[in-house]
Each structure stands twice: as structure tokens, then as C-alpha cells.
Amino acid sequence: MADLNRKLANNAPGRYYVDDQCIDCDVCRDTSPSNFKREDSGAFSFVFQQPRNESEELLCRTAMDACPVEAIGDDSR
């Protein structure tokens, strides 16, 4: 489970975030490219834009559920 205390500084403000457990696997970026980007210098993903509609919300939740190391969190849960 993602840890809010280990949240990466690159994340956009809001409920979804990626923590420092990210292994740069591409799952979130492939699932929700409108919300996740790669930080090339550090080789990890982060939330660059919080979901703006129900479709993006669903994709962020799908990415969170699919993350193999549970590095994506939702701080509203």
C-alpha cells in the first residue's frame, strides 16, 4: 500500500499520488497517460495532473489497482 509519508514531491496537489516505491514499470502511464508522467532523471512516475472527470478518475483507480508495487495512493480513502 502506498504511504502518504513517502509521497514524491513531483506529484500534483490532490488526492492521488505516487510514493518512492515506484519501480518505473509504465503501468500507470499506459493506463492513464493524461494523469501520470515519467521523471526521466529519477526513473519514476508521478501524478502530473489530478483527474478532471469521471473517465480520468476511473483510469487513475485502475492504475492504482494495477500497480505491481502498490506505489499509487489515494489520500481520500
Side-chain angles (χ1 to χ4, degrees):
M1 174 178 268
D3 184 343
L4 190 56
N5 295 316
R6 296 171 66 179
K7 177 180 175 179
L8 297 169
N10 304 61
N11 290 291
R15 66 190 275 184
Y16 289 100
Y17 64 92
V18 177
D19 73 11
D20 63 3
Q21 299 176 86
C22 179
I23 60 171
D24 195 31
C25 70
D26 273 344
V27 169
C28 63
R29 298 187 306 265
D30 287 344
T31 303
S32 188
S34 296
N35 305 99
F36 293 89
K37 276 191 178 178
R38 181 176 196 261
E39 172 54 57
D40 292 327
S41 64
F44 59 84
S45 295
F46 64 96
V47 177
F48 78 94
Q49 182 167 279
Q50 295 292 329
R52 297 167 291 176
N53 54 49
E54 284 186 42
S55 176
E56 287 183 5
E57 174 75 25
L58 178 61
L59 291 173
C60 284
R61 287 182 131 0
T62 301
M64 184 173 68
D65 292 341
C67 180
V69 294
E70 298 181 343
I72 302 170
D74 175 354
D75 69 4
S76 71
R77 286 189 172 181

